[in-house]
Every structure is written in structure tokens, then in C-alpha cells.
Amino acid sequence: MCALYCEPTFRDFGVHWFGQRGFGGLLEDYSKRTDGKSIWIPQYNLQAYWRRSIPPISVGFVEPLIPARLRNSKFDRLPGSFSHKTPPYLLENRNLLGTKYSEDDKIVEIWTVNERSRRNCVEKFDLKIDEKGEIIGDNWCEDENNKEWIIENDTVLEIRKSKWKEKDSMWIRTTESLKFLQADIQQTIFKSSVKNFSESYSILGEFCVIDYGGMIWLGDLEEVGGKLSRLKIENKEDDGNVFEHVAWCNHPRQIAFSTKYKLNIFDIRTKDDILSLFQTKQFDARKQDEPILIQEKPPDRETVKHIRQLNKSTHNFIVLTNHSLYLLDDRFPMNPVVTINHTFNPHSIIISEKGCKEDEGEISSIFAIDQLIPAIYHCKLYKHKTEVWSDVNGFVKLDQIDSFNSTCRRGKFANKKSIRNEYSRAISLVEGIIDRKQNESCILLRQADDGSIWSQKFVNKTINEKKIMEKEQKSWKRVKSYIEKCDNVEPVYVVDFDKELRCDAKEERIAVSIDGNLEKKIVRKLNTKSNDEMRRVGGKVCGFRGSHACDNSDYDVANLAQTYSALLSLVILGDDLSRVDRTAILETIRGSQRENGCFWSQDEGSESDMRFVFCAVAVCHILHDETVIDWKKLGDFIKKSVNLDGGIGQGPGDESHGGSIFCAVASLSLSKSSLE
């Protein structure tokens, strides 16, 4: 019997939760109590309570499936983040990847639009699932089943799977209409901009649409060319917001709709029966007698981003806001069953349809993508045998496409072959995959910013560490094989660059300036010094650098701040510095001092201010040698940096600052030399 957890409510100041909650909200499980002992069900952190991993579990790396391609569309923008001129509404529900899986034919249909193109060419690929449960994507460009559709004078915003037809059909939401693609036919369903839409779970072909005017429309795909009927629902909200989101319920005559702050269920038959199911919270502010660290004005009220009915569940809904995820039950209006806080902006979500079984319960996965970070997050909800729900472990950020680099590249002299960093822009979930050993799994497909498609496998059962390592080794071999094949392949967005814009191994790009179209770009380059010209002592790098993961590590020279941090860390940890090349570091300190007494941060022409004076003095103090510093010049530099107010700036003429005062005074304090 489903029931609410007993947990006290506290005041909420809008602070996001960055960690995992404890075992809050405990319920007693009477179905398992056979020996007289109480068995408890926690509301939060079930995985930590059971002390084992709960499927689906990610195994292996993010693997390449379909390479980047130009196809028939020209690229419309540079890689990276969206333009600051992109309207926020164009990012909501933006997901340019859809999939369908046929269990009988073992074929995965992949529908996609290149994110970096003008987004008017829809591509479809048919890929096979082998006996091991892996997607075969080597010959994707040679299959005669691959197709293209050109969306004339329009731009695609979302691709969504259709429940109405099993094969060769997909919903396409554009900036100006809602289309249904099937075989070679483009059917325009709604001839206006669509904010959101939903298909019926019970009556195939029936759907509802909400436009940007906040009106809800009903239609049937069987009626080709038929008119949609407007569903007249009076908005009685005090805040006057229009309807933002719509979702079809399991009941064939009920739909759920929401404004920015409230979710209701509407019965089409009665037209007056509206159930208020959920309302977002308004955050608190501090009172007069409370600490100042609590903000005086409350933050903005959280807004609804997505509403979905949880699959295979008659009563449960998912509401995802910009602050939390709420699991609702229509038998307990206005009382969320489970609340999971998060810290990202969920532009698009996918909820697993089949889920997976574990310990007599069922697990539902929720994947969300943030287009601005960009990143993909995964959350799992567990439905116990008693119909009670638990949060498994909150939202977890999934691996990125280039996670292989940080795992396999170690140090400056490691293998330089790596995967190019491309942002994940779209996701789709392929479920129901069964291998020859009858193991079930699901595959998360993601589209990168350059249009390439990658796969990430999730196993729908609990497996031990040895099995996980075996699968990771096989995955590592596949990714390594891909890197070797693509060693000489240039990124798609530089195919049309002029030869003079391409860099050799001894050059470094420092800035990119774009004028006009992509084909007429101007890239400024800086020729860096060769290895022989870089400041070295005895052929060794004179200090520590910030990271070993830089792509151009040969030119990532030592930095005074990083050298100071590294030496200080070693001393704190009890190291005797016997393995540190003291002479090389001290000679670099000597060569870094400028004529005015200050110090370059890493090379001539780099940053130079009071911060690096302190770093240089601190390094000499740690290494017990101050002879390499010209203290007279250093003292003159500090004196000239003193201002009329008595404070000290970063340099002569700079305003006084607490940080620069600390650096100057600390430098004088650490010095054993006498400075007048």
C-alpha cells in the first residue's frame, strides 16, 4: 500500500543540496517482516542503505557510434556554447536525437539533426544489435536504409519517438510547426509554434498540443488533414500565468497541464473537474532576529520545467523544476512522495519506459540534459514491492565524451592520441536489449556538438567489480581502435579552413576572431618560442606547472604560483623535498625577477604583480635560499606600490587591495634580509 513518508518539514531558503541526504523519512516494510524484526524503507539514499550498487549501472567508456559528418547541410556556427543571443525558449525541450528499437529485427532506428548545422536536414540511420548486445555502427554510411528529410524554411528543435507506429515514424517539433514523419511522408500536424505536446498512453494516435499562447489543442493522427479541437480550460491562477506544459495521463480522458508554478489534472468529459496536484514552493527569508548570513529577500520561486507521467504507474507523476525533482501521487494531492534537489537547468528529460527489476522491486531511470553547461545527469527511483518509492542516490553527472582522455593519459610523456572534446547536446535511450546470455541492458545515445553520435551502456542487473573491469577493458579496446582510425581526421568545423590557418606542432592558437560567415573566418595565431628558446636550467623544467592534462603540454611552462602551491603541499604532507631540483627552481626565481623588482609569473611578458612577489619569496623561504632575489629592487617595488591611504596595490599606481597588502607584508615577514 502506497503511503507518505513521515519526515518533518523545515524552512527552505532556496539553497540547493550538493550532497546526498541521509536516511530521511523511514517506513516499516511489513511485507518482509517474518522474524519479528522491523525492516525499514528509507526515502532517500537507498543505495547507501543497502550498501551495494543498484542498476542500471554504467559499464565502460562513452564509445563512438556514428562519426561527425557534413552531409547536405552547411555548418552554421562554431563549436562550443550557444550564442548569447539565443532566446531561452529555443533551449527548452531542445533534443535533436530520437531512437526506436525493434526487438524482433534487432534494429535501432536513429533519427538526428546536426546541432551545428542549420538544423533543417533530418537524418535516419538503421543500425544492428549484435549477439553481445552492442550496437554495430561501422558501416553506417553504406546502408541503403539510411534516409534524409529536408524541412523547408524551418528549423528543428526537438525529435521525439512516436508510440503510434512501431517503425519508421517520429515527431518533429520545429520553430514554426509540429510535424509527423513516417516513411517518405511529412505530415504537418500543427501549423503554428508548439511549446509542448504529448501522446496518449491508452488511445494510439490521440495527442494534445500546447501553443505559445497557452492554449491546449486535441487531435487524432488517424484523421489526416483533420482539424484540432481547442480544449477550453479557464485559468483561475491568481498569478495569471498561461499554460506551459502538458502531459497525457494513463486514463484516456484525463490530461495534466501546468503553469509555471502549478500542476493540475483535467477530465475532458466533465470539463469542470480540475484536481490541483502540485504547487511549487515559495522560499523563505530571514526574520529580523536571525543571522545575517541568511538572505533578507527570498530567491525567486522555483518554476516547472517538465511534467511526465511515470511509465507503468497509474498514479505517479514526475515534476522537474529548476530546483528539484518531485515524485507525485494523485492520491495525495499537494504532498510530494519523494523530493530530490539538484543544481542544474533541465532543458530536456527522458524517463525509462521499461525500467529494470531488482530485489522484487522496479527501477525507473531519469536522464536530464543541461544545454548551457552542458552536461547529462542521471537519477534513479526505486518502487518497492509495497508500492513505496525511494530515491536511489540523487542526481549523478555522467561521463563526458572525452572522459577517456583523463582515464588513459597519464603525464606529459603519455600517448598523445585522445578523443576531441565535444559537448553532449542531445540524448535518447534504447531499452530492451538482450544479449545471447539473456542479460538485459539499455544504451544511452548522445549526440555531440559536431553531429557525431556516441553510446554509453548500462547493465540492468547488479554485477561485481571483476565483471565491471572486464567490460571496461573491452570498451577501452574499442575506443582505442577508434582513435587509431581517426588519427589523421580533422574536426569537421575546420574542413573549409584555409591552409594558412592550420597550425604546426610548434605553434599555439591563442585567439579566434570570426567575421561574417563561417567560410570567411579569420584566425589569429601566435608563434610561440621553440623548446630551445624556453627558459630551462640543465635541460629541466624549472618548477611546477598547473596540470599534466593540457593538450599542448610541451609549451605549458612552469608557473611561480603553481610552484609555490606544489612545494607548500609537499611540506604540509611531510615531504623532505629531497627529490625536488632546488637549483633549477631557484635559478628560475633569479631569472624571473624584473628590473622594477617584481616577478614574471612564468615567462617574460606574462602576468607580473604583488602576488608573484609573494610566491617567489615563499618559494625561497621553503627552499631555504634567499640569495637569488635582489632584495633592494624588491623593496623599491613594494615602496612604490604604497598609496596615500596607507594601503598597498598590486603595483605602483594600482588601487589599494587587501590581497596585495597581505602579499607585500607576508613577503617582508618571510624575508630574513633587512629591508629599510
Side-chain angles (χ1 to χ4, degrees):
M1 176 67 188
C2 183
L4 291 176
Y5 292 93
C6 298
E7 184 182 25
T9 57
F10 302 96
R11 296 175 61 195
D12 193 337
F13 299 99
V15 178
H16 291 289
W17 185 259
F18 291 88
Q20 294 183 343
R21 298 190 62 169
F23 307 134
L26 293 174
L27 285 180
E28 193 169 7
D29 187 355
Y30 292 96
S31 66
K32 292 187 177 182
R33 196 175 63 180
T34 58
D35 55 356
K37 296 182 179 180
S38 297
I39 299 177
W40 299 97
I41 299 176
Q43 182 180 12
Y44 302 106
N45 226 343
L46 181 65
Q47 184 166 275
Y49 182 78
W50 281 354
R51 297 187 179 182
R52 59 182 170 87
S53 298
I54 298 179
I57 301 171
S58 173
V59 291
F61 297 99
V62 181
E63 300 182 20
L65 189 63
I66 299 177
R69 64 221 169 273
L70 280 171
R71 306 294 288 176
N72 294 333
S73 296
K74 293 184 178 179
F75 279 90
D76 196 42
R77 66 177 178 85
L78 283 175
S81 303
F82 293 103
S83 169
H84 66 282
K85 298 180 180 179
T86 303
Y89 75 89
L90 290 182
L91 298 181
E92 299 298 331
N93 296 299
R94 184 183 184 122
N95 194 39
L96 303 182
L97 184 64
T99 57
K100 279 191 172 183
Y101 174 53
S102 172
E103 297 183 20
D104 297 331
D105 301 332
K106 301 293 183 182
I107 295 293
V108 177
E109 294 181 8
I110 299 178
W111 302 59
T112 182
V113 174
N114 198 317
E115 177 64 73
R116 206 175 292 162
S117 69
R118 295 172 185 174
R119 304 201 313 279
N120 64 344
C121 178
V122 181
E123 304 171 83
K124 174 180 172 291
F125 308 102
D126 288 345
L127 303 182
K128 294 183 178 180
I129 300 288
D130 63 13
E131 59 180 8
K132 297 179 181 178
E134 306 288 347
I135 300 182
I136 305 173
D138 294 338
N139 301 321
W140 64 272
C141 56
E142 302 175 1
D143 196 330
E144 59 183 9
N145 294 324
N146 299 333
K147 299 178 182 179
E148 287 184 1
W149 292 266
I150 302 297
I151 310 296
E152 298 291 346
N153 303 320
D154 211 344
T155 304
V156 178
L157 291 177
E158 182 182 6
I159 300 177
R160 192 186 298 182
K161 178 174 64 174
S162 168
K163 302 181 181 69
W164 185 47
K165 296 290 185 181
E166 290 297 328
K167 294 183 180 180
D168 215 14
S169 61
M170 198 71 64
W171 290 96
I172 306 292
R173 184 174 67 91
T174 69
T175 54
E176 299 181 1
S177 64
L178 177 65
K179 301 178 183 295
F180 188 78
L181 267 62
Q182 182 182 0
D184 296 326
I185 302 175
Q186 292 186 34
Q187 181 182 350
T188 301
I189 304 299
F190 196 77
K191 299 179 181 179
S192 182
S193 299
V194 171
K195 186 181 298 184
N196 212 327
F197 67 97
S198 177
E199 271 187 309
S200 174
Y201 292 90
S202 306
I203 304 177
L204 296 181
E206 196 164 276
F207 64 95
C208 54
V209 171
I210 182 168
D211 61 17
Y212 276 92
M215 299 180 183
I216 301 177
W217 303 79
L218 300 179
D220 194 333
L221 285 173
E222 292 284 3
E223 300 178 6
V224 180
K227 294 183 178 180
L228 279 71
S229 59
R230 177 184 169 187
L231 188 61
K232 296 182 179 180
I233 304 176
E234 184 180 354
N235 187 0
K236 298 180 180 179
E237 297 292 322
D238 295 334
D239 48 36
N241 286 296
V242 299
F243 300 138
E244 298 282 343
H245 309 278
V246 63
W248 213 287
C249 303
N250 273 337
H251 192 285
R253 296 292 89 190
Q254 288 184 345
I255 62 171
F257 61 90
S258 74
T259 63
K260 285 185 177 180
Y261 309 119
K262 194 170 184 179
L263 171 65
N264 302 314
I265 296 179
F266 179 78
D267 196 306
I268 300 174
R269 299 165 295 180
T270 61
K271 297 186 178 180
D272 294 326
D273 188 10
I274 299 179
L275 172 65
S276 295
L277 186 59
F278 171 77
Q279 188 171 351
T280 60
K281 67 179 72 173
Q282 291 182 336
F283 300 117
D284 296 304
R286 70 179 174 90
K287 300 176 183 178
Q288 292 183 353
D289 57 345
E290 288 186 318
I292 300 178
L293 57 89
I294 302 176
Q295 53 195 29
E296 186 174 356
K297 294 183 179 180
D300 294 336
R301 186 176 181 180
E302 58 178 326
T303 58
V304 176
K305 293 293 185 180
H306 304 278
I307 60 173
R308 296 282 194 280
Q309 176 138 23
L310 204 59
N311 299 299
K312 290 188 176 182
S313 178
T314 307
H315 301 283
N316 296 109
F317 289 84
I318 292 291
V319 174
L320 190 59
T321 71
N322 58 342
H323 181 273
S324 304
L325 179 143
Y326 300 94
L327 175 64
L328 309 177
D329 193 303
D330 58 11
R331 293 168 290 185
F332 305 100
M334 311 303 290
N335 290 287
V337 177
V338 175
T339 301
I340 306 173
N341 295 341
H342 62 76
T343 57
F344 59 90
N345 192 357
H347 290 109
S348 182
I349 66 168
I350 291 178
I351 301 177
S352 60
E353 296 182 355
K354 296 189 175 183
C356 58
K357 301 288 184 178
E358 176 72 11
D359 194 31
E360 299 182 352
E362 186 172 354
I363 304 165
S364 296
S365 290
I366 301 167
F367 296 90
I369 184 169
D370 188 337
Q371 297 282 9
L372 296 178
I373 294 180
I376 301 174
Y377 298 87
H378 183 205
C379 174
K380 291 175 278 190
L381 295 172
Y382 187 88
K383 185 178 182 180
H384 299 266
K385 184 180 179 180
T386 53
E387 295 189 4
V388 174
W389 289 88
S390 294
D391 155 41
V392 174
N393 60 346
F395 277 98
V396 177
K397 189 176 180 181
L398 296 181
D399 291 339
Q400 298 298 316
I401 293 174
D402 63 340
S403 296
F404 177 87
N405 300 345
S406 59
T407 304
C408 300
R409 293 176 61 198
R410 288 287 182 263
K412 176 180 176 182
F413 301 103
N415 189 351
K416 290 297 189 294
K417 293 182 179 179
S418 61
I419 294 177
R420 192 171 66 253
N421 181 22
E422 290 288 347
Y423 295 136
S424 298
R425 293 294 185 188
I427 54 175
S428 186
L429 190 64
V430 181
E431 298 182 86
I433 298 176
I434 301 177
D435 61 18
R436 61 186 176 186
K437 296 181 180 179
Q438 299 302 308
N439 295 320
E440 189 174 357
S441 62
C442 61
I443 296 178
L444 179 70
L445 298 183
R446 65 178 78 192
Q447 177 188 265
D449 194 61
D450 63 353
S452 59
I453 297 177
W454 302 69
S455 64
Q456 185 173 6
K457 191 169 185 177
F458 291 82
V459 178
N460 287 359
K461 68 174 184 179
T462 302
I463 56 178
N464 55 39
E465 292 294 331
K466 182 179 179 181
K467 291 289 185 181
I468 292 178
M469 291 181 62
E470 290 176 357
K471 292 182 179 296
E472 286 183 347
Q473 289 174 357
K474 294 178 181 178
S475 176
W476 182 83
K477 291 179 181 179
R478 290 193 291 265
V479 177
K480 184 180 179 183
S481 175
Y482 164 80
I483 295 175
E484 292 173 351
K485 290 180 182 178
C486 301
D487 191 28
N488 298 321
V489 178
E490 294 182 343
V492 175
Y493 51 86
V494 298
V495 168
D496 296 326
F497 275 23
D498 294 334
K499 291 183 179 179
E500 63 183 26
L501 300 178
R502 298 176 184 172
C503 298
D504 326 278
K506 294 184 179 181
E507 295 176 336
E508 180 183 15
R509 294 176 219 176
I510 62 164
V512 178
S513 176
I514 305 301
D515 295 330
N517 297 327
L518 189 64
E519 290 79 9
K520 299 179 180 179
K521 57 186 70 63
I522 301 174
V523 179
R524 293 192 295 109
K525 299 187 301 182
L526 173 69
N527 293 328
T528 61
K529 298 182 179 182
S530 65
N531 292 347
D532 296 335
E533 293 174 330
M534 301 175 96
R535 182 183 294 119
R536 294 171 178 269
V537 176
K540 300 178 181 178
V541 178
C542 311
F544 294 83
R545 55 194 179 97
S547 171
H548 64 262
C550 298
D551 291 336
N552 204 6
S553 58
D554 288 339
Y555 303 99
D556 184 24
V557 298
N559 185 290
L560 282 183
Q562 311 300 341
T563 303
Y564 160 68
S565 300
L567 291 175
L568 186 62
S569 299
L570 291 173
V571 172
I572 292 174
L573 293 173
D575 192 271
D576 59 0
L577 304 183
S578 60
R579 292 167 292 177
V580 174
D581 194 332
R582 297 169 180 261
T583 303
I585 294 176
L586 291 170
E587 286 302 317
T588 298
I589 298 292
R590 186 196 304 274
S592 298
Q593 189 169 17
R594 302 178 58 185
E595 287 299 321
N596 64 356
C598 194
F599 290 83
W600 297 114
S601 62
Q602 62 182 30
D603 206 345
E604 186 175 350
S606 58
E607 290 182 289
S608 174
D609 52 52
M610 197 68 70
R611 296 173 299 171
F612 303 104
V613 169
F614 168 72
C615 290
V617 174
V619 168
C620 291
H621 179 78
I622 293 173
L623 298 180
H624 305 291
D625 190 332
E626 296 183 348
T627 60
V628 296
I629 295 179
D630 189 329
W631 291 100
K632 184 178 184 307
K633 291 182 179 180
L634 187 148
D636 292 341
F637 177 79
I638 294 178
K639 289 179 182 178
K640 292 178 182 179
S641 301
V642 178
N643 295 316
L644 295 176
D645 59 2
I648 302 175
Q650 292 282 51
D654 292 340
E655 63 180 348
S656 300
H657 189 278
S660 54
I661 294 174
F662 166 80
C663 290
V665 174
S667 299
L668 297 175
S669 177
L670 290 174
S671 171
K672 295 180 182 178
S673 303
S674 58
L675 293 175
E676 296 179 359

